[in-house]
Amino acid sequence: MNRLPYIRPNIQRLQAGPVNPFRLGSSPSCVEIDGVPVAELARNYGSPLFVFSEKALREKYREAHRAFSRRYPDVQFAWSYKTNYLNAICRVFHQEGSIAEVVSGFEYEKARRNGVDGSKIIFNGPHKERADLERAVNERAMIQVDNIDELLTLASIVRDRTEPVSIALRVHLQTGTHTVWSKFGFNGDDGEVLQIIRRITTLHNLRLQGLHCHVGTFILDPENYRVAARRLVELAIEAEKIGAGQIRYLNLGGGFASHARLHYQYLPPEQTTPSLDRYAEAICETIIGLWPAGRDLPRLYLETGRALVDDAGYLISSVVAVKKRHLPSQMQTAMAAYGKSAAVMPQGNSRHALVLDAGINLLYTTAWYQPKILPARPCLDTPEPTTVFGCLCMNIDVIREDAPLPSLTTGDQVVLHPVGAYNITQSMQFITYRPAVVMIDSERKVHVIRRRENLDYVQELEAIPEHLATRTAVSRPEPHILAVA
Ligand SMILES: *Cc1c(COP(=O)(O)O)cnc(C)c1O
């Protein structure tokens, strides 16, 4: 008789949110950040303003480190610079014990200036300049080779050296729910990696020491890591069989989810974002379970970015205009085309709308996520779906299509959260100055960690050719005046 396979019951606590705010007749608000009033921050440092909580950064790092070190004897975190490379942020993580993970010569330089020794830098990325590779070799950085051209460049750099140089290979894998990021590294499923490893054994002075896989980003299902860890262990065993020596470290990259909310995500992040323990369990159990008995376990590197920094970052912004927005019926389709949620579209033809003093040039991640937007003062009236526009002169500058907000007026402040990952490194200067960034320390002291931009800063690299430097106008013929018909 055919029987269905037995599935172990899985009991998960359902975390109910607060009582429906629509019925309660009041809106959630964010009056202070780490004990410092939002109004005071905006008054002292201007609006908009990025705010980071040092306490939240340190607590999250410790939570992540604990989750892994409880389960695995040799764990090392490497701060993913591109997620947020403001020096103060990097230094918090370095103080906590994190080394650096960089993906370009620029980031490598930045990590060195932050006092990170070359041997404590993991060098990733699909484009490493020859000069950067030479430096990384000299300073014993952990180079994670992305492609065959890079491997051959390295081989030529190390050919005449007296000592062998250690490298790792970046691998991409089919891990389940996530699309394979095949842009990066070598294919770990079809034998390509093994071919490359065989090739390395024939190259003078290169030793394979590690295998790296960064599955992707915002991975909501920890099972992807179970698959990735299993494949890396299998590849490590095969690598040794074909004469590459023992693999000393496995690097599982980053990708753990923060408490951001994707477009079209129905449940709140509190219910969808796995705990760091669940990621740690998937990775550590797998490696410990499959690593050959009697062999030292490999060191485990993690390059967690957004899960450590996203929730610690806020953007304070001010309402500069209140509008009604007309919504023609084709709007839903149009919005869907922009990838913005049209879920709470009222049948009536208009909606509340606000304009903020910050735009999507500061909030690049709103292309994928919907930040929470909270008023900075307690509000008693009922939240209504509100379109939140940014301040740019572009129709696509929509921060949220339908944020539930009480009625606000010009001058009111709002707090956007979480926005700590990628927004600052990917922000662009456009028609206005980028805002200051402050960090609140554990004693509630506020520190400016990046000043607001000004005209001198923005124009610093510009040059005016000599023939444009004088004030005299070029003589030109009189303009032809069109006759009025
Ligand atoms: C971007 C990146 C990370 C960090 O990813 P998160 O999703 O922010 O955790 C880690 N490793 C590599 C190679 C990356 O490119």
Side-chain angles (χ1 to χ4, degrees):
M1 193 170 81
N2 271 340
R3 288 231 242 150
L4 291 173
Y6 173 70
I7 298 170
R8 210 151 42 116
N10 176 16
I11 300 176
Q12 264 189 34
R13 188 169 151 197
L14 185 65
Q15 292 178 323
V19 182
N20 181 352
F22 291 89
R23 280 178 57 195
L24 205 66
S26 79
S27 313
S29 57
C30 176
V31 178
E32 49 176 49
I33 300 170
D34 277 10
V36 183
V38 169
E40 185 184 312
L41 288 164
R43 193 165 55 243
N44 292 346
Y45 304 97
S47 170
L49 178 72
F50 277 107
V51 181
F52 282 85
S53 159
E54 184 177 345
K55 184 162 159 269
L57 292 172
R58 290 187 189 274
E59 281 176 358
K60 191 56 95 177
Y61 177 86
R62 287 172 198 177
E63 182 191 336
H65 192 265
R66 205 179 316 120
F68 280 87
S69 55
R70 275 173 58 197
R71 296 178 167 89
Y72 200 85
D74 189 4
V75 180
Q76 177 64 59
F77 277 79
W79 174 238
S80 157
Y81 263 51
K82 77 172 189 291
T83 309
N84 188 324
Y85 45 57
L86 288 173
N87 291 333
I89 304 275
C90 297
R91 279 166 190 247
V92 168
F93 289 123
H94 294 326
Q95 268 190 3
E96 289 289 330
S98 198
I99 60 171
E101 186 269 335
V102 304
V103 291
S104 66
F106 158 75
E107 287 193 343
Y108 189 101
E109 181 71 27
K110 220 166 186 303
R112 294 288 287 118
R113 286 235 201 134
N114 275 327
V116 182
D117 193 77
S119 66
K120 298 209 162 105
I121 296 179
I122 297 180
F123 196 3
N124 263 308
H127 172 49
K128 308 177 183 81
E129 303 261 350
R130 187 183 177 100
D132 297 328
L133 283 172
E134 280 168 0
R135 179 176 188 181
V137 164
N138 289 336
E139 298 181 347
R140 296 167 184 272
M142 285 176 271
I143 300 168
Q144 321 280 293
V145 178
D146 180 85
N147 55 66
I148 184 78
D149 297 277
E150 186 182 320
L151 183 68
L152 297 178
T153 307
L154 268 174
S156 79
I157 291 172
V158 304
R159 190 175 302 128
D160 304 320
R161 298 176 72 91
T162 48
E163 282 177 57
V165 169
S166 312
I167 54 166
L169 289 184
R170 179 158 181 173
V171 178
H172 61 256
L173 297 164
Q174 185 79 55
T175 58
T177 59
H178 198 78
T179 10
V180 183
W181 276 16
S182 55
K183 168 176 174 179
F184 305 102
F186 303 96
N187 191 323
D189 294 315
D190 74 352
E192 185 189 20
V193 174
L194 294 175
Q195 266 176 30
I196 297 293
I197 293 174
R198 261 188 217 103
R199 182 83 181 265
I200 292 173
T201 60
T202 69
L203 293 173
H204 185 56
N205 268 345
L206 286 179
R207 294 282 174 282
L208 184 69
Q209 289 245 299
L211 294 172
H212 171 286
C213 177
H214 172 63
V215 176
T217 197
F218 208 81
I219 310 288
L220 286 168
D221 183 357
E223 286 309 299
N224 288 280
Y225 289 94
R226 210 177 279 281
V227 177
R230 191 187 69 227
R231 276 304 289 152
L232 287 190
V233 172
E234 288 166 0
L235 287 171
I237 294 169
E238 290 175 68
E240 194 169 343
K241 277 198 202 129
I242 58 179
Q246 204 183 332
I247 295 295
R248 311 241 167 230
Y249 69 85
L250 300 181
N251 183 343
L252 268 292
F256 305 155
S258 68
H259 289 83
R261 188 176 188 157
L262 289 163
H263 289 299
Y264 303 113
Q265 184 178 315
Y266 177 67
L267 290 169
E270 291 69 30
Q271 287 178 39
T272 50
T273 296
S275 66
L276 291 164
D277 275 307
R278 289 191 53 213
Y279 293 111
E281 192 177 276
I283 292 171
C284 302
E285 267 183 5
T286 307
I287 302 176
I288 292 173
L290 298 177
W291 199 253
R295 282 308 191 81
D296 284 346
L297 282 169
R299 168 169 288 188
L300 171 60
Y301 285 104
L302 296 155
E303 303 168 340
T304 312
R306 72 168 70 245
L308 297 185
V309 76
D310 205 19
D311 300 353
Y314 303 78
L315 180 71
I316 298 175
S317 182
S318 306
V319 176
V320 293
V322 178
K323 297 192 170 187
K324 273 271 177 211
R325 184 186 185 199
H326 180 68
L327 293 169
S329 54
Q330 302 94 327
M331 196 62 190
Q332 299 211 6
T333 356
M335 282 183 353
Y338 278 120
K340 303 276 185 181
S341 159
V344 198
M345 184 70 70
Q347 281 315 298
N349 271 350
S350 72
R351 170 186 293 177
H352 299 290
L354 299 172
V355 183
L356 297 184
D357 62 359
I360 55 167
N361 61 322
L362 304 180
L363 295 164
Y364 191 81
T365 63
T366 53
W368 297 277
Y369 306 95
Q370 330 174 44
K372 228 184 263 170
I373 303 181
L374 297 172
R377 59 173 171 86
C379 294
L380 285 176
D381 51 337
T382 309
E384 302 230 14
T386 306
T387 296
V388 179
F389 292 116
C391 60
L392 307 181
C393 231
M394 294 159 69
N395 201 44
I396 59 160
D397 185 22
V398 179
I399 294 169
R400 286 272 312 257
E401 275 301 339
D402 47 25
L405 279 170
S407 69
L408 296 173
T409 49
T410 305
D412 276 336
Q413 275 129 15
V414 292
V415 178
L416 288 77
H417 180 259
V419 298
Y422 296 101
N423 286 305
I424 288 185
T425 41
Q426 295 181 329
S427 73
M428 57 179 158
Q429 191 271 318
F430 178 59
I431 74 167
T432 174
Y433 303 118
R434 277 177 292 189
V437 185
V438 298
M439 183 154 81
I440 303 173
D441 74 14
S442 316
E443 266 103 51
R444 297 188 189 176
K445 231 182 126 208
V446 183
H447 305 264
V448 176
I449 60 172
R450 189 175 197 269
R451 296 201 306 276
R452 182 176 184 265
E453 291 175 351
N454 57 28
L455 190 59
D456 287 337
Y457 169 82
V458 174
Q459 297 190 149
E460 195 183 335
L461 301 178
E462 288 190 39
I464 297 175
E466 205 174 327
H467 69 282
L468 299 177
T470 70
R471 279 153 187 268
T472 28
V474 178
S475 68
R476 62 164 68 89
E478 281 296 304
H480 176 70
I481 310 288
L482 283 176
V484 180

